Amino acid sequence: MAMALRCFRHLPSLLYRSSFAMTRGLPRAPAGCSALLLDGCGQCVHQTMLTRQLATKKAKGKGQTQARVNISAALVEDIINLEETNEDMQAVVEALKEDFGRNLSVRTSPGALDHIIVVTKDGKFPLNQLGQISQKSPQLIIVNMTNFPESTAAAMKAIRESGMNLNPEVDGTIIRVPIPKVTREHRESLAKLAKQSTNKSKEALRKVRSKSINQVKKFKNKVSEDTIWLLEKQIQQMADSAAAEMDKLLAAKTKELLG
């Protein structure tokens, strides 16, 4: 019994020495060490696992906000350019915003016709590069196709199929575009187009996300599993943020269109 008590008294110091030996066996984290790139670094592994553990705990409860993962772009520049990924995602958002402003307005204006794409035998061109667009009156827009008369029929088709509820009429090389009255049906049609445009933009966003994640996975045999996990997490968060921004744009545009 006495021998057992003596052994018990020495147990804390033995555990301390054992722990110290294990810690001493790991390489020390140098100044400025990234918690992502140094496999085997005790400090780095601890930081990485702690971040992952926090995110996992947050994700368990349904509807709870997940912990944000923020990785310095400079630390992973050899794997992926996170700034470029974010720029690509934001470019999709900006394209949707531009589409909403240019094509989905209750009031049709000459500028709304500028970027209607006309398919010709020589390629695809915006309408304003083929014809001169002007507003004859509040109820009529004129497209003068004198410079490219051979593209008049193609321009007519493009205007009719633009989704803007336009029914153009042709007189030689002059296309007359009556501006439709703003009806409830027209507003609802534009709202549907806004939803379709948003879905297309989200598909483009998913392609950017998938491309980036595939780029990260190419390094799965060169960096730690946690590095890959954290990078995928950050890319997903970027995509989620861009998608949420699209939803806000859609909500605002739908409210504007339906009144």
Side-chain angles (χ1 to χ4, degrees), residues 104-143:
L104 297 176
S105 175
V106 174
R107 299 289 179 182
T108 304
S109 65
L113 274 62
D114 284 352
H115 300 284
I116 291 177
I117 299 299
V118 182
V119 180
T120 73
K121 63 180 182 179
D122 297 318
K124 299 179 180 180
F125 302 93
L127 182 60
N128 63 353
Q129 291 186 12
L130 301 175
Q132 296 176 344
I133 306 172
S134 61
Q135 188 149 5
K136 183 76 171 178
S137 71
Q139 291 77 38
L140 183 64
I141 295 175
I142 297 295
V143 182

Side-chain angles (χ1 to χ4, degrees), residues 34-52:
S34 111
L36 301 172
L37 302 180
L38 293 179
D39 295 335
C41 166
Q43 180 179 342
C44 296
V45 170
H46 173 72
Q47 290 177 356
T48 302
M49 292 305 295
L50 179 60
T51 303
R52 183 167 181 172

Side-chain angles (χ1 to χ4, degrees), residues 1 9 32 46 74 81 90 100 104 108 130 164 168-169 204 232 251:
M1 181 67 176
R9 282 201 302 270
H46 173 72
N81 189 327
Q90 287 304 310
F100 279 179
L104 297 176
T108 304
L130 301 175
M164 298 171 66
E169 302 167 354
E232 289 179 353

Side-chain angles (χ1 to χ4, degrees), residues 99-106 163-164 189-191 193-195 197 253 256-257:
D99 179 55
F100 279 179
R102 186 176 65 228
N103 298 324
L104 297 176
S105 175
V106 174
M164 298 171 66
S189 176
L190 291 175
L193 287 174
K195 178 66 174 177
S197 295
K253 176 55 71 171
E256 173 194 326
L257 293 172

